[in-house]
Amino acid sequence: MTIPGQDGVDRELVDLERLAPWMDEQGLPAGDFERVEVLAGGTQNILVRLERGGRAYVLRRPPRHLRKASNEVLRREARVLSALSGSDVPHPGLIAACPDEDVLGVVFYLMEPVDGFNPSQGLPDSYATDEAWLRAVAFDVIDGIAALGAVDHKAAGLGDFGRPEGFLERQVGRWMHELGTYGELKGYGGPRIPELDRVARWLDDNRPVTWTPGIMHGDYHLANVLFEHDRPRLAAIVDWEMSTIGDPLVDLGWTVAMWPGEGAPIGPAAALNDVRGFPTPAELIARYAERSTRDMSAIDWYTVFACFKCGIILEGTYARACAGKADKGVGDVLHAITLALFAKADTYL
């Protein structure tokens, strides 16, 4: 049996013959599938755009080669998007989710398509030639996480979504342990990061004493947002796979640590480092303070922590590359970013 539209996508990624009856059960419009195309794929979660019954959808599912937590990550993503419905947080609207693996062999969900573009892939002329647009959209990026941090996670049904008790206290030990596990990879030889121990000690010695739990995106930077095409606005925050209940100021620190500009580490927004017009990190922090009641006195700690955590995560790919389990060229680039992030963290100590 063939089904219209299946030729547009690998059946192993999404079997439309099995998807159709599930969509019918959700009360979604019936009909043939049209304009089916994979938007993203590879090692990350996969996006498939499709139309059926006059309605457009984006299906998100785990990568072809599943990681240990791939299905649970998608369950969590769908739960967060559902909880954010009706909030002021720009996000893709959740249409329906399949939390079990019976239909497609993996967890998946359907969301509303977002008419926007990812700025880390380059800016259209309307943004690139107008500094006022850049400033406006940059402040909207900050407003997005300020709105996220203001959501009452318990009222939104996310009271059991994370373990906020002791969240900050766990972080340095948790990520130093993660770094230690890389030593199990033959050929790695351990981290060669000059500032590592100094940064870790400083984080432990200067950790904020009090903070207010809330929803964290967990990986907030310009590669995980979409901008509107025809006006300087944040269209949506995407890629919620690292979201949890923790300290929302980590998202602000992450944004500052990854913000493009002179001397910024090579990273998700590297293509924007030479773009003129973006607000400074100090202006971003001031904007967040205007939009939030959170105590901003320890924002340097959150920026240093972002450099520390991101650097360790990237070092994992370098370690796998040394062991022949990842591309050596990519590993070398990411190791260089790790060194740059720790060097940046050191300037705050």
Side-chain angles (χ1 to χ4, degrees):
M1 176 180 178
T2 61
I3 187 167
Q6 188 66 69
D7 289 345
V9 63
D10 188 339
R11 188 181 296 271
E12 291 185 5
L13 293 183
V14 53
D15 187 334
L16 299 179
E17 189 172 333
R18 301 186 66 183
L19 180 64
W22 179 85
M23 293 179 68
D24 294 342
E25 291 173 1
Q26 311 310 307
L28 300 172
D32 292 340
F33 288 97
E34 299 178 304
R35 298 180 179 86
V36 183
E37 60 177 325
V38 177
L39 299 181
T43 61
Q44 304 302 316
N45 292 316
I46 293 169
L47 299 175
V48 179
R49 191 186 189 283
L50 53 92
E51 295 181 14
R52 187 176 187 236
R55 184 173 184 180
Y57 306 85
V58 172
L59 182 149
R60 184 164 167 91
R61 55 145 292 166
R64 186 187 298 270
H65 302 293
L66 297 180
R67 299 183 290 269
K68 183 178 180 180
S70 289
N71 284 306
E72 181 58 24
V73 163
L74 266 290
R75 290 187 188 97
R76 290 175 62 84
E77 282 192 11
R79 188 175 170 191
V80 170
L81 293 179
S82 177
L84 292 176
S85 178
S87 74
D88 294 332
V89 181
H91 65 282
L94 181 72
I95 298 173
C98 184
D100 61 58
E101 301 159 37
D102 295 338
V103 177
L104 296 183
V106 294
V107 173
F108 68 93
Y109 61 84
L110 297 174
M111 58 184 170
E112 300 282 0
V114 177
D115 184 14
F117 70 93
N118 182 263
S120 70
Q121 303 301 310
L123 297 172
D125 288 345
S126 52
Y127 284 87
T129 61
D130 192 332
E131 293 190 5
W133 274 47
L134 289 176
R135 289 183 63 81
V137 78
F139 288 136
D140 219 34
V141 167
I142 296 301
D143 292 350
I145 47 168
L148 179 63
V151 172
D152 184 333
H153 64 283
K154 293 181 179 179
L158 297 177
D160 62 345
F161 192 67
R163 293 191 299 132
E165 298 81 6
F167 176 80
L168 291 186
E169 290 79 1
R170 293 193 299 270
Q171 295 306 306
V172 172
R174 182 255 186 272
W175 289 104
M176 287 295 283
H177 173 76
E178 178 75 9
L179 182 61
T181 66
Y182 302 162
E184 300 170 6
L185 293 165
K186 185 177 180 180
Y188 174 50
R192 294 184 294 276
I193 306 171
E195 301 86 358
L196 174 63
D197 291 334
R198 184 164 61 254
V199 169
R201 284 195 303 270
W202 185 89
L203 286 169
D204 269 336
D205 291 344
N206 294 275
R207 184 173 54 247
V209 176
T210 60
W211 55 279
T212 303
I215 305 172
M216 280 177 48
H217 179 273
D219 191 22
Y220 199 68
H221 49 68
L222 291 180
N224 283 338
V225 298
L226 299 177
F227 291 173
E228 294 187 11
H229 292 278
D230 57 357
R231 60 176 179 168
R233 287 284 300 275
L234 175 65
I237 301 169
V238 297
D239 291 352
W240 293 83
E241 60 191 69
M242 295 179 68
S243 58
T244 190
I245 305 302
D247 188 341
L249 284 179
V250 172
D251 283 338
L252 178 59
W254 204 273
T255 306
V256 171
M258 304 299 164
W259 196 249
E262 185 177 355
I266 300 170
L272 303 176
N273 279 351
D274 294 329
V275 174
R276 296 292 177 261
F278 281 121
T280 65
E283 290 177 300
L284 301 181
I285 293 168
R287 176 71 169 211
Y288 191 99
E290 293 173 1
R291 297 293 191 273
S292 174
T293 59
R294 295 181 181 277
D295 181 0
M296 306 290 291
S297 60
I299 191 58
D300 283 357
W301 187 93
Y302 294 95
T303 304
V304 171
F305 172 65
C307 293
F308 170 83
K309 177 180 173 179
C310 186
I312 289 176
I313 291 172
L314 297 180
E315 185 74 358
T317 301
Y318 173 65
R320 289 189 290 275
C322 291
K325 297 183 177 183
D327 182 85
K328 185 61 165 61
V330 171
D332 288 343
V333 168
L334 296 184
H335 179 63
I337 298 173
T338 292
L339 296 180
L341 286 168
F342 272 87
K344 182 173 184 174
D346 193 53
T347 65
Y348 285 85
L349 310 191

